[in-house]
């Protein structure tokens, strides 16, 4: 009541020693508890407070004892010179470790470590003895019935600075070790006391990491943090224990185990052996990105003992990169650091595999494969002065120049792009970058039939970063690079027709890397940049499909349909996710869609011919309409398609498209130059599910709807477009919810920011599940009757944000 009245608050704050004691010893238990909890607010002498707290630890009410112990723990920060008083507080807390109430035992643990450390500091000659005793008492509490007590016991153990090696080793074994049996002294203790200590300590950390509660398991891993530097043998036992923890069900526990291992590496206590590697490297395949990142951070520091463990680590990183390509920059950075820490091992590995990765030697591995990129980064990690003595082939540094964009992105925390380029140039002088189209000064030579890549590399050469770092030139440089790359894309069409797929894919990859230099540096032309990156993906798919069509060998089952499906989806997305197209750009995309339909019809085994023919006719009509508006003659390919459709007549179920030779028709297609519009805007969304993860699921009742809170930012979404949420639960069934974003307000047409609760109706009869949610934009240019879904979007959706996982757990009856 006093805290609601400002005058009474000031009166309470002026409470003197006499009044404080009178109220504490009064009949009201609630007042007594309140006074003990808020004692620091009053001007009470510390010596009096200490006596009061100590006295009330014997109060019959458990919450009074807890408040008194909490007060003692708080007073531990003050200077107390009376050794007998310190001992009195410490031993009283030891007694209360056996209290019947959980809350009292938990508070007693905090007092034991606080006053125990004070006691050890007050008696330097007996510091080891007191530290061992504190450790033993706290270890005995790690098997307490209360989760909170076990948790606080490990939190307290972390604060210890010295513990005898024998006790540390005993804490790793549930069986009493032979070192305690028959031993007559350990810091002046008798045999019986030794065995009692051993029983208290036995297997404390093993019990901790096996605890049913993830909070305790995490605390046990954290408690090892400072103890591992006290004993090499203990560090080895802790390492084996932590290896098992890397398979824990809780993400937070796995992360804490890796953090402790990282501390071991920093303290030079991490002695990895071949037997550890399987469990250790399993974290590289973890579903959680934070866990994978934590292990990669650890690998940057780890000192591997031999070539076997180094090769296992390399293989683990490559497998992880193949499974999680989004981790590429981080993985390549780890490989570079590993190479610098293990130079001789790098030389041995690269010498053995060089012929497999060298394109000039027709190596077994494709130049674009993940393993080749990994080996290349590993090779160039060798110090500049040692590359020749360590037999690193200089040609590898030449090949690395074609990966400049990816490597510079990965090593951005070490050196900038111009420094990396100079480093590669310096180390490749014996063979020269002229092998890849560079002269000794690092300037691209004139374009030759096999050197499209070299001309593109000029965009990312040292002269470019010098200008893009100047704010006033960033946008101009970006749009100039985009236009240059689009002209190079047109130039590779003869290579696609001739079947040089490897050269085409390599060129497109380098184009992509050159553009990614600008990804986070420009604002004005961000739409044009995003469009061009998507366009490069489209051309990659076109090249692969065209190669399959021209190939004399049969393709894998489903490969043709899969590639064409991705191509059609990509073109729909390209047309839907950007606004501000010029008529030329729209016509260019429509012509590629026309090619996709013709490619589908060129395969006699494809189904749904009637639907594809109708789509072909509709696209051809749209192109004809645009050509009339622009007063432009159609291309040869468009003319041939229109002529074929005219011969076929009306498209009906009886009409046969088999009379048309679509492969002959496709030979008339030529890729025209695409002149990019500088006014393009990227339609996209940012979706966040706040306060939801594996540890904090959203609760639901099976069979009843559940609301999923979403924070949404929409960019450049036109008011006439329709947005839908798609929620999938098992990758087979989907639920669609219409998003009426206009009624929510929250900004202008360019940026709209709001919060929305999405109802999910199909909650299953399961204890927990993961739903995946994303936002899609209806493809406005499609006919509504073609893809009509009951209760959902009437057209196909182009998804404008990354899919997010929502963790849900069933409410259990208590």
């Amino acid at each position: 009541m006093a805290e609601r009245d400002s005058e009474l608050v000031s009166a309470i704050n002026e409470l003197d020693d006499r009044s404080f004691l009178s109220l504490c010893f009064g009949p009201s238990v609630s007042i007594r508890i309140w006074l003990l909890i808020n004692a620091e607010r009053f001007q009470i002498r510390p010596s009096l407070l200490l006596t009061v707290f100590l006295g009330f630890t014997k109060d019959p009410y458990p919450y009074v004892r807890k408040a008194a112990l909490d007060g003692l723990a708080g007073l531990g920060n003050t200077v107390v010179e009376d050794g007998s008083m310190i001992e009195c507080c410490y031993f009283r807390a030891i007694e209360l470790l056996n209290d019947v109430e959980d809350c009292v035992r938990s508070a007693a643990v905090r007092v034991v470590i606080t006053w125990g450390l004070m006691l050890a500091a007050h008696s330097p000659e007996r510091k080891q003895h007191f530290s061992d005793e504190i450790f033993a008492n706290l270890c005995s509490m790690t098997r307490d019935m209360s989760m909170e007590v076990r948790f606080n016991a490990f939190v307290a153990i972390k604060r210890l600075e010295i513990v005898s090696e024998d006790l540390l080793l005993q804490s790793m074994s549930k069986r009493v070790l032979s070192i305690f049996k028959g031993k007559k002294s350990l810091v002046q203790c008798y045999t019986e006391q030794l065995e009692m200590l051993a029983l208290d300590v036995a297997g404390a950390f093993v019990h901790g990491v096996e605890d049913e509660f993830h909070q305790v398991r995490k605390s046990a891993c954290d408690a090892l943090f400072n103890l591992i530097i006290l004993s090499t043998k203990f560090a080895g036992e802790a390492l084996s224990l932590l290896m098992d923890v890397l398979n824990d069900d809780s993400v937070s526990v796995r992360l804490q185990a890796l953090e402790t291992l990282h501390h071991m590496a920093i303290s030079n206590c991490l002695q990895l052996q071949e037997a550890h590697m399987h469990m250790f490297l399993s974290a590289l395949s973890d579903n959680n990105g934070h866990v994978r990142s934590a292990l990669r951070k650890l690998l940057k520091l780890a000192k591997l003992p031999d070539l076997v463990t180094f090769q296992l680590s390399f293989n683990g990183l490559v497998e992880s990169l193949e499974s999680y390509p989004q981790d590429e920059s981080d993985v390549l950075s780890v490989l570079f650091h590993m190479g610098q820490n293990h130079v001789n091992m790098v030389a041995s590995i690269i010498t053995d595999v060089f012929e497999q990765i060298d394109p000039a030697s027709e190596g077994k591995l494709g130049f674009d494969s993940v393993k080749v990129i990994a080996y290349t980064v590993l090779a160039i990690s060798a110090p500049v002065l040692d590359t020749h003595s360590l037999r690193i082939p200089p040609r590898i540094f030449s090949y690395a120049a074609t990966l400049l964009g990816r490597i510079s992105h990965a090593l951005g925390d070490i050196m900038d792009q111009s420094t990396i380029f100079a480093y590669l140039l310096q180390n490749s002088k014996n063979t020269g970058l002229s092998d890849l189209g560079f002269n000794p000064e690092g300037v691209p030579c004139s374009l030759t039939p096999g050197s499209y890549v070299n001309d593109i590399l000029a965009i990312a050469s040292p002269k470019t970063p010098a200008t893009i770092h100047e704010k006033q030139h960033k946008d101009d440089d970006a749009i100039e690079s985009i236009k240059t790359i689009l002209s190079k894309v047109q130039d590779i069409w003869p290579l696609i027709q001739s079947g040089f797929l490897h050269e085409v894919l390599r060129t497109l990859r380098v184009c992509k890397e050159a553009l990614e230099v600008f990804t986070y540096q420009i604002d004005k032309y961000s739409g044009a940049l995003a469009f061009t990156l998507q366009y490069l993906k489209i051309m990659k798919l076109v090249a692969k499909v065209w190669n399959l069509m021209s190939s004399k060998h049969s393709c894998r089952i489903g490969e043709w349909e899969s590639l064409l499906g991705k191509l059609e989806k990509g073109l729909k997305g390209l047309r839907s996710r950007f606004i501000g197209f010029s008529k030329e750009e729209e016509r260019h995309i429509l012509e590629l869609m026309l090619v996709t339909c013709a490619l589908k019809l060129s395969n006699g085994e494809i189904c749904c011919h009637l639907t594809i023919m109708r789509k072909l006719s509709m696209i051809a009509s749209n192109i004809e309409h645009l050509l009339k508006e622009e007063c432009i003659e159609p291309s040869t390919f468009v003319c041939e398609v229109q002529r074929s459709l005219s011969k076929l007549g009306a498209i009906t179920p009886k009409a046969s498209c088999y009379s048309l030779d679509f492969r002959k028709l496709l030979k008339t297609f030529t890729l025209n130059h695409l002149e990019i519009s500088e006014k393009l805007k990227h339609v996209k969304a940012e979706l966040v599910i706040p306060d939801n993860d594996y540890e904090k699921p959203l609760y639901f009742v099976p069979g009843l709807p559940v609301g999923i809170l979403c924070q949404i930012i929409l960019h450049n979404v036109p008011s006439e477009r329709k947005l839908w949420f798609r929620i999938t639960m098992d990758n087979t069934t989907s639920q669609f919810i219409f998003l009426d974003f206009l009624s929510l307000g929250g900004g202008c047409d360019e940026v709209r920011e709001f919060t929305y609760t999405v109802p999910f109706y199909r909650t299953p009869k399961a204890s927990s599940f993961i739903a995946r949610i994303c936002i899609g934009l209806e493809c406005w240019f499609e006919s509504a009757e073609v893809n009509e879904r009951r209760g959902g979007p009437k057209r196909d959706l182009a998804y404008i944000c990354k899919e997010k996982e929502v963790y849900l757990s069933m409410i259990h009856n208590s």
Side-chain angles (χ1 to χ4, degrees):
M1 289 174 62
E3 290 181 327
R4 301 190 190 103
D5 191 316
S6 58
E7 293 182 3
L8 287 176
V9 167
S10 61
I12 285 176
N13 290 337
E14 295 172 3
L15 204 67
D16 58 15
D17 294 358
R18 188 186 186 93
S19 301
F20 178 78
L21 287 174
S22 177
L23 288 169
C24 280
F25 287 100
S28 174
V29 177
S30 58
I31 289 177
R32 191 183 311 153
I33 294 172
W34 188 91
L35 287 169
L36 293 174
I37 292 173
N38 294 278
E40 73 279 358
R41 290 175 54 177
F42 313 122
Q43 303 298 319
I44 310 298
R45 288 178 291 113
S47 60
L48 177 61
L49 271 183
L50 187 60
T51 305
V52 170
F53 286 144
L54 191 58
F56 278 114
T57 58
K58 297 182 179 181
D59 194 277
Y61 294 97
Y63 287 104
V64 175
R65 298 198 297 276
K66 177 187 180 300
L69 286 167
D70 288 339
L72 282 177
L75 280 180
N77 299 321
T78 61
V79 178
V80 180
E81 297 181 356
D82 187 350
S84 61
M85 182 59 76
I86 296 174
E87 282 191 25
C88 189
C89 293
Y90 169 70
F91 287 115
R92 178 60 187 148
I94 293 291
E95 291 176 24
L96 288 174
L97 290 177
N98 298 314
D99 196 280
V100 294
E101 296 293 336
D102 297 350
C103 63
V104 177
R105 296 197 304 278
S106 183
V109 166
R110 293 192 292 271
V111 177
V112 165
I113 186 62
T114 302
W115 288 84
L117 291 176
M118 289 173 62
L119 185 59
H122 191 266
S123 307
E125 70 284 355
R126 303 186 65 195
K127 185 174 183 178
Q128 182 73 62
H129 165 71
F130 284 124
S131 295
D132 289 343
E133 185 178 288
I134 296 166
F135 180 70
N137 281 301
L138 292 174
C139 284
S140 70
M141 303 308 291
T142 61
R143 294 186 292 276
D144 193 273
M145 294 297 291
S146 166
M147 184 276 286
E148 183 184 0
V149 174
R150 299 196 300 274
F151 172 81
N152 284 330
F154 283 114
V155 171
I157 287 172
K158 184 183 178 182
R159 296 176 60 184
L160 289 169
E161 297 177 352
I162 57 170
V163 180
S164 296
E165 183 179 62
D166 291 345
L167 287 176
L168 288 173
L169 294 175
Q170 182 61 74
S171 69
M172 288 291 175
S173 173
K174 295 180 181 180
R175 180 177 54 85
V176 176
L177 300 177
S178 58
I179 54 176
F180 290 100
K181 294 178 180 178
K183 194 169 184 179
K184 293 186 177 179
S185 65
L186 175 71
V187 197
Q188 300 176 351
C189 288
Y190 294 106
T191 304
E192 294 80 4
Q193 291 174 310
L194 277 175
E195 292 185 358
M196 288 300 295
L197 280 175
L199 288 172
D200 286 340
V201 173
F205 283 107
V206 180
H207 288 295
V209 299
E210 293 175 351
D211 198 279
E212 62 177 311
F213 292 96
H214 69 87
Q215 296 95 328
V216 178
R217 300 198 299 274
K218 179 181 177 182
S219 181
C221 295
D222 192 31
L224 293 166
F225 206 80
N226 295 325
L227 300 178
I228 52 176
I229 63 174
L230 301 179
S231 164
T232 303
K233 290 182 181 179
F234 178 71
E237 295 293 331
L239 175 60
S240 299
L241 188 68
L242 290 169
M243 288 298 112
D244 293 330
V245 181
L246 295 180
N247 275 335
D248 195 277
D249 292 336
S250 170
V251 173
S252 63
V253 176
R254 299 200 297 275
L255 286 172
Q256 184 58 63
L258 287 167
E259 186 177 337
T260 302
L261 289 170
H262 186 263
H263 180 67
M264 291 177 70
I266 293 173
S267 305
N268 293 319
C269 299
L270 186 66
Q271 302 296 327
L272 288 168
Q273 302 299 326
E274 186 178 349
H276 298 135
M277 298 310 289
H278 175 72
M279 297 293 290
F280 181 67
L281 297 173
S282 65
L284 288 173
S285 303
D286 199 284
N287 290 329
N288 187 278
H290 296 296
V291 174
R292 298 195 303 273
S293 177
L295 185 59
R296 291 193 296 266
K297 181 181 174 184
L298 177 54
L299 279 172
K300 287 183 178 182
L301 297 174
K303 300 293 191 296
L304 301 172
D306 51 41
L307 190 59
V308 174
T309 54
F310 186 89
Q311 186 68 61
L312 287 171
S313 300
F314 175 83
N315 293 341
L317 285 165
V318 171
E319 290 172 9
S320 175
L321 182 54
E322 289 172 344
S323 302
Y324 303 98
Q326 66 270 27
D327 294 344
E328 181 182 274
S329 295
D330 208 5
V331 170
L332 296 183
S333 176
V334 173
L335 288 169
F336 192 85
H337 281 85
M338 282 176 58
Q340 290 189 317
N341 295 335
H342 306 85
V343 175
N344 291 323
M345 296 181 192
V346 171
S348 176
I349 289 175
I350 298 303
T351 302
D352 291 341
V353 303
F354 180 66
E355 289 188 1
Q356 297 180 40
I357 65 176
D358 184 14
S361 305
E362 298 183 357
K364 297 178 183 178
L365 301 173
F367 189 70
D368 290 323
S369 75
V370 168
K371 188 168 279 192
V372 169
I373 294 167
Y375 275 129
T376 302
V377 172
L378 194 64
I380 67 171
S381 66
V384 178
L385 298 177
D386 294 340
T387 51
H388 303 300
S389 61
L390 292 173
R391 304 182 306 282
I392 301 293
R395 192 182 301 152
I396 287 186
F397 292 87
S398 298
Y399 297 148
T402 66
L403 304 169
L404 183 62
R406 293 160 87 172
I407 293 174
S408 63
H409 186 54
L411 306 184
D413 60 330
I414 303 173
M415 54 183 123
D416 59 24
Q417 193 176 64
S418 57
T419 306
I420 294 172
F421 190 86
Y423 170 76
L424 298 177
L425 187 63
Q426 172 69 24
N427 284 277
S428 62
K429 278 191 173 179
N430 282 2
T431 56
L433 281 175
S434 56
D435 292 348
L436 296 172
F438 285 87
N439 63 27
E441 284 72 37
V443 180
C445 302
S446 59
L447 197 64
T448 59
S451 63
Y452 292 102
V453 172
N454 310 315
D455 204 34
I456 296 162
L457 275 170
I459 298 168
S461 67
K463 66 174 183 281
T464 305
T467 57
I468 63 173
H469 288 159
E470 299 174 12
K471 181 65 178 176
Q472 62 272 27
H473 297 306
K474 284 180 183 178
D475 291 335
D476 293 339
D477 286 341
I479 196 66
E480 183 182 345
S481 298
I482 289 169
K483 291 178 178 179
T484 302
I485 281 173
L486 287 175
S487 66
K488 297 303 172 190
V489 171
Q490 182 193 13
D491 291 342
I492 66 172
W493 182 248
L495 294 177
I496 294 176
Q497 290 179 310
S498 302
F500 293 106
L501 182 63
H502 178 78
E503 180 74 14
V504 170
L505 294 181
R506 183 170 170 232
T507 303
L508 291 172
R509 173 174 53 76
V510 177
C511 286
K512 175 176 172 286
E513 291 168 3
L515 286 180
E516 284 176 344
V517 172
F518 301 101
T519 303
Y520 303 105
Q521 298 177 348
I522 64 168
D523 297 317
K524 186 177 179 182
Y525 301 118
S526 58
L529 179 61
F531 174 86
T532 308
L533 287 169
Q534 292 296 318
Y535 182 73
L536 293 176
K537 291 180 181 178
I538 296 295
M539 292 312 303
K540 180 180 177 180
L541 290 168
V542 169
K544 287 183 176 180
V545 174
W546 210 275
N547 186 67
L548 277 181
M549 182 184 69
S550 306
S551 176
K552 297 178 181 179
H553 305 288
S554 58
C555 61
R556 294 191 298 271
I557 296 174
E559 185 178 10
W560 175 264
E561 291 82 358
S562 174
L563 286 172
L564 281 173
K566 290 179 181 178
L567 180 57
E568 183 179 28
K569 183 179 178 181
L571 285 167
K572 283 182 181 179
L574 200 66
R575 197 175 178 195
S576 300
R577 290 198 292 262
F578 295 90
I579 56 175
F581 285 124
S582 65
K583 286 184 172 58
E584 181 186 352
E585 288 167 324
E586 192 170 353
R587 181 163 38 83
H588 188 94
I589 296 171
L590 285 170
E591 197 160 334
L592 286 174
M593 295 176 80
L594 202 64
V595 169
T596 303
C597 290
L599 283 166
K600 283 187 173 184
L601 293 166
S602 68
N603 186 349
E605 298 178 2
I606 202 82
C607 59
C608 306
H609 283 84
L610 184 61
T611 302
I612 299 171
M613 282 297 296
R614 284 174 175 168
K615 190 174 291 187
L616 182 83
S617 176
M618 182 181 69
I619 295 171
S621 298
N622 289 340
I623 293 175
E624 185 178 5
H625 177 71
L626 286 173
L627 289 169
K628 286 180 180 178
E629 287 184 354
E630 297 179 88
C631 300
I632 297 176
E633 290 296 320
S635 66
T636 305
F637 172 68
V638 173
C639 283
E640 291 298 321
V641 170
Q642 290 173 337
R643 188 179 294 113
S644 299
L645 289 171
S646 178
K647 288 181 181 178
L648 189 64
I651 300 174
T652 64
K654 295 182 179 180
S656 175
C657 63
Y658 295 105
S659 60
L660 302 177
D661 188 350
F662 286 100
R663 288 180 178 260
K664 183 179 179 181
L665 199 66
L666 285 164
K667 289 180 180 179
T668 63
F669 174 73
T670 301
L671 186 70
N672 295 320
H673 174 62
L674 176 60
E675 189 66 38
I676 191 77
S677 170
E678 298 178 4
K679 296 180 180 179
L680 274 182
K681 291 183 178 180
H682 190 192
V683 178
K684 60 181 180 178
E686 298 174 43
L687 175 63
V688 175
I689 313 297
D691 201 28
N692 178 261
D693 56 27
Y694 182 81
E695 303 290 346
K696 297 179 181 178
L698 186 65
Y699 292 101
F700 73 97
V701 176
L704 296 180
V706 61
I708 302 172
L709 182 65
C710 300
Q711 293 175 352
I712 303 165
I713 303 177
L714 301 178
H715 297 269
N716 305 311
V717 179
S719 57
E720 66 273 11
R721 299 287 177 88
K722 292 182 179 180
L723 293 180
W724 294 82
F725 287 103
R726 186 194 71 182
I727 308 175
T728 56
M729 185 177 65
D730 51 10
N731 293 326
T732 55
T733 58
S734 298
Q735 174 190 308
F736 295 92
I737 303 293
F738 180 66
L739 173 59
D740 186 8
F741 64 94
L742 294 178
S743 65
L744 298 171
C748 59
D749 289 341
E750 289 191 358
V751 180
R752 300 175 188 268
E753 185 171 356
F754 53 88
T755 301
Y756 190 82
T757 300
V758 185
F760 180 56
Y761 298 103
R762 300 176 182 176
T763 52
K765 292 182 178 179
S767 59
S768 64
F769 69 97
I770 297 175
R772 293 172 174 82
I773 183 170
C774 58
I775 300 174
L777 185 73
E778 273 199 36
C779 297
W780 55 271
F781 46 83
E782 289 195 336
S783 299
E785 68 273 12
V786 174
N787 295 309
E788 186 168 0
R789 299 180 181 89
R790 184 178 179 182
K794 295 181 179 181
R795 302 173 178 84
D796 281 345
L797 297 179
Y799 295 99
I800 59 175
C801 72
K802 291 183 179 180
E803 194 174 57
K804 297 289 184 179
E805 289 187 338
V806 185
Y807 297 88
L808 297 102
S809 179
M810 184 175 68
I811 296 176
H812 296 280
N813 293 327
S814 56

